[in-house]
Amino acid sequence: MAGGHYFSAPGSQVAAAAASADRPPSSTLSLQVGDEESQDEDDVIEGDEAYADEEVRTALVAKLQQVEDENLSHVLKKLDSIRQLAGDAQVLRHRETREHTARQVAIGQLYSLLLEDAGFQPQAVMQRSVLAMFEGIKLQHAEIFFFSVEDVRRRLATGPSVRLKDAESNPRRCSERLLVTSQILDSMLAEISTEQIRDLVGKVSKYLTFKQTTYQVRPMEERDDARLKNATGFAVYKRDIFVADALSHCIWRVAADA
């Protein structure tokens, strides 16, 4: 330092200028700080939005899974119901088959008894012989039907239409000479149960045994198909002739003017 003046060294001036050049302006520094803060806020917003999207996605997945589980449970319940219905239907079919088989067996047994009563001649099993059998066992209130003359004229397309009690009170209402087969007998017994048919078989069997082991008196003029198998003896009483038939186990009463 000389003469009271201060002279800075050239090197010092150069260093100060360089430092001043390297330091950014204050406005530029504040802008950069603002940009960084804005970027941080954007990152936070984007993070919140991503978290919200993840929550929505998770909720949707959970809801879809719940719906899928409910649908699956509903489908399984429906399948169980269908299986149960199928099982019930199968059991019902088995029962119906057993019932049908039992009914046909009972009707076959009854027809066999009627055939035995007719001397094992199928052409002799007619409606009038069936009616006579039911009259013999005192069967009056059963829902059994006979084919009328009109039913026969229509070739059995309708009927049977004559109730048992009406046929017993007026036999001419039914077609007496109609040949009765097991199928026709089934139609005649359509309104009664299988258990009633079985009871009917028991009564007819007892009545047939009674007929085969006891003698009976039959008016021949009312039996066009009656046949004397073996006349072992006869007697005359007034205007009637009584003939003992050992094979048929009966005593025939024949009108003298027949």
Side-chain angles (χ1 to χ4, degrees):
M1 183 185 312
H5 297 284
Y6 172 77
F7 296 97
S8 60
S12 299
Q13 294 178 356
V14 172
S20 175
D22 290 338
R23 186 171 59 251
S26 60
S27 59
T28 301
L29 181 58
S30 63
L31 180 60
Q32 288 178 352
V33 172
D35 291 341
E36 289 177 356
E37 291 179 352
S38 176
Q39 183 65 33
D40 292 339
E41 292 177 357
D42 291 340
D43 292 341
V44 171
I45 293 174
E46 290 179 357
D48 293 340
E49 291 178 351
Y51 181 74
D53 292 341
E54 184 65 24
E55 283 187 341
V56 172
R57 188 180 299 107
T58 302
L60 288 175
V61 170
K63 189 63 177 179
L64 290 174
Q65 184 65 37
Q66 180 183 358
V67 171
E68 183 178 356
D69 292 341
E70 291 177 355
N71 291 336
L72 180 60
S73 177
H74 185 63
V75 170
L76 291 176
K77 289 181 179 179
K78 280 190 173 182
L79 289 176
D80 290 338
S81 300
I82 293 173
R83 292 192 189 100
Q84 183 65 34
L85 289 175
D88 293 342
Q90 186 176 7
V91 171
L92 183 60
R93 283 195 298 269
H94 289 331
R95 290 180 180 175
E96 290 177 349
T97 301
R98 289 197 301 269
E99 173 67 20
H100 178 73
T101 302
R103 186 179 185 85
Q104 294 304 312
V105 169
I107 292 175
Q109 291 174 341
L110 181 59
Y111 180 76
S112 298
L113 293 173
L114 295 172
L115 186 62
E116 182 180 351
D117 185 49
F120 297 99
Q121 298 178 5
Q123 68 275 13
V125 182
M126 302 181 183
Q127 277 201 138
R128 65 182 178 188
S129 60
V130 177
L131 179 60
M133 179 66 74
F134 291 162
E135 287 177 340
I137 63 176
K138 309 299 182 183
L139 194 67
Q140 296 178 350
H141 302 291
E143 290 297 313
I144 299 176
F145 291 82
F146 289 79
F147 288 93
S148 65
V149 177
E150 187 65 27
D151 294 333
V152 175
R153 288 176 182 173
R154 297 175 181 175
R155 297 182 179 181
L156 308 184
T158 60
S161 58
V162 181
R163 291 179 180 272
L164 172 62
K165 61 180 181 180
D166 296 331
E168 290 178 341
S169 61
N170 187 6
R172 296 188 180 278
R173 291 190 59 184
C174 62
S175 179
E176 295 182 340
R177 291 181 175 272
L178 175 64
L179 185 65
V180 176
T181 63
S182 58
Q183 291 79 12
I184 291 180
L185 185 61
D186 189 5
S187 300
M188 296 169 63
L189 305 177
E191 297 300 323
I192 64 176
S193 64
T194 303
E195 191 62 31
Q196 289 176 309
I197 297 176
R198 289 173 178 168
D199 181 65
L200 189 60
V201 169
K203 291 181 179 180
V204 171
S205 178
K206 292 179 180 179
Y207 180 70
L208 188 57
T209 301
F210 169 78
K211 289 177 61 177
Q212 292 172 347
T213 56
T214 57
Y215 284 89
Q216 303 170 51
V217 177
R218 300 179 182 179
M220 283 191 62
E221 60 268 21
E222 296 182 9
R223 291 288 301 268
D224 297 335
D225 61 335
R227 294 181 180 181
L228 290 173
K229 297 180 180 180
N230 184 18
T232 57
F234 68 94
V236 178
Y237 178 73
K238 294 183 179 181
R239 299 180 60 86
D240 296 326
I241 300 174
F242 294 88
V243 181
D245 189 345
L247 293 180
S248 299
H249 292 279
C250 66
I251 298 175
W252 299 95
R253 186 184 67 182
V254 183
D257 57 350

